Amino acid sequence: MASEITYAELKFKNASPAPVVEVPPETKKHEHHPQKYPPWLPWLISLLLLLVCIALVVVLLVVSRSHSSTQPTVLQQKFTEWQCILAVSQGKEQGWTCCPKGWKRFQESCYYLSEDMMRWAESVQNCTGMGSHLVVINSKAEQAFLTKELPQSPTRANYYIGLHAQEVGKWRWVDQTPFNEEGAFWRQDEPSNVAVEMCVVIHTISEIRNWNDVRCEHHYRICEAVAVTLMEQPSS
């Protein structure tokens, strides 16, 4: 009698996954596993990128400063002939302090004494156009130097300085330097402090106190600019 085979479908609750059949080493297929990196590697890469960014910023700053320092000033662009004296800094560096030809030098400044007369506003523009400004007097030594350098005129000509007022008695320097009344060099009984005299000049007289407030009309002028310093390159 032939044996009879019966098939049945069975469902098991909470059945465990089918067992994994181990393949013998010789029959196991080669599988590609992604390479694992140490957990600190992303942090290292981020740190390196940050350092590179910082280095780029530093380089850009240095380059921009070097370009700005080598750019000629307006004073240098306006004049081609210069007079220089040898100067040695406190750091023992040797260089040259230069002023445009025809200008007067005192300490670290250059001064232009005009030979023509202009009104106040035109005088301001003329000095600015040369890369300078109407002179700002900061010390007794500077005042004495200018008084000595002014040509002695029998008509006692007036030279504008950079001091003026927009309100009577409220004097201001053109470069916004605070006005110090104790450091002023007014002539006796000056300033008049009247509404029609809002500009200040130096009289061409020998006394060190020779400032006077005047009408802002045609006068000579004194322009001032920072002297140009040229440092010698060290020999290789």
Side-chain angles (χ1 to χ4, degrees):
M1 177 177 177
S3 61
E4 200 173 52
I5 301 175
T6 304
Y7 294 92
E9 292 183 1
L10 301 178
K11 294 183 179 181
F12 297 94
K13 293 183 178 181
N14 300 325
S16 59
V20 178
V21 178
E22 290 289 335
V23 179
E26 61 274 9
T27 61
K28 185 182 292 185
K29 294 182 179 179
H30 178 73
E31 297 180 1
H32 177 73
H33 295 283
Q35 186 176 359
K36 294 183 178 180
Y37 296 99
W40 48 262
L41 186 59
W43 293 97
L44 178 60
I45 295 175
S46 299
L47 179 60
L48 290 175
L49 290 175
L50 178 61
L51 292 176
V52 170
C53 291
I54 293 175
L56 288 174
V57 171
V58 171
V59 170
L60 289 174
L61 288 175
V62 171
V63 170
S64 63
R65 288 187 178 183
S66 64
H67 281 304
S68 63
S69 62
T70 57
Q71 289 296 321
T73 62
V74 176
L75 190 71
Q76 291 172 277
Q77 294 173 351
K78 292 291 183 180
F79 299 94
T80 56
E81 294 186 71
W82 295 75
Q83 293 176 322
C84 303
I85 64 166
L86 188 63
V88 180
S89 66
Q90 293 181 352
K92 305 302 182 182
E93 294 180 343
Q94 185 169 288
W96 298 86
T97 300
C98 304
C99 289
K101 187 176 180 180
W103 290 48
K104 310 290 185 180
R105 188 192 63 82
F106 177 71
Q107 295 180 351
E108 303 301 321
S109 293
C110 305
Y111 302 87
Y112 169 73
L113 280 62
S114 76
E115 297 179 354
D116 61 330
M117 293 187 291
M118 294 181 178
R119 294 181 179 274
W120 164 264
E122 296 168 342
S123 297
V124 171
Q125 293 176 359
N126 178 260
C127 291
T128 301
M130 293 190 294
S132 60
H133 55 75
L134 283 174
V135 62
V136 175
I137 300 173
N138 298 304
S139 68
K140 184 176 181 179
E142 186 178 19
Q143 169 70 12
F145 166 79
L146 293 174
T147 299
K148 180 181 177 182
E149 291 296 328
L150 289 176
Q152 298 303 308
S153 170
T155 58
R156 293 190 176 184
N158 296 324
Y159 283 76
Y160 275 131
I161 63 176
L163 191 64
H164 70 120
Q166 293 181 338
E167 298 180 37
V168 174
K170 294 184 178 181
W171 301 104
R172 300 178 61 181
W173 290 107
V174 290
D175 69 345
Q176 306 306 315
T177 297
F179 175 67
N180 179 14
E181 184 64 45
E182 296 180 357
F185 299 92
W186 298 109
R187 294 183 64 189
Q188 187 175 359
D189 300 326
E190 298 292 347
S192 304
N193 284 330
V194 293
V196 293
E197 297 182 351
M198 305 292 271
C199 295
V200 179
V201 296
I202 289 182
H203 280 289
T204 54
I205 57 177
S206 58
E207 292 98 353
I208 193 170
R209 295 192 171 277
N210 53 12
W211 293 7
N212 186 23
D213 55 342
V214 296
R215 296 173 182 267
C216 301
E217 298 177 345
H218 287 80
H219 298 289
Y220 297 100
R221 63 197 173 279
I222 305 175
C223 302
E224 177 185 8
V226 177
V228 174
T229 301
L230 304 175
M231 302 305 298
E232 289 188 354
Q233 296 296 329
S235 57
S236 55

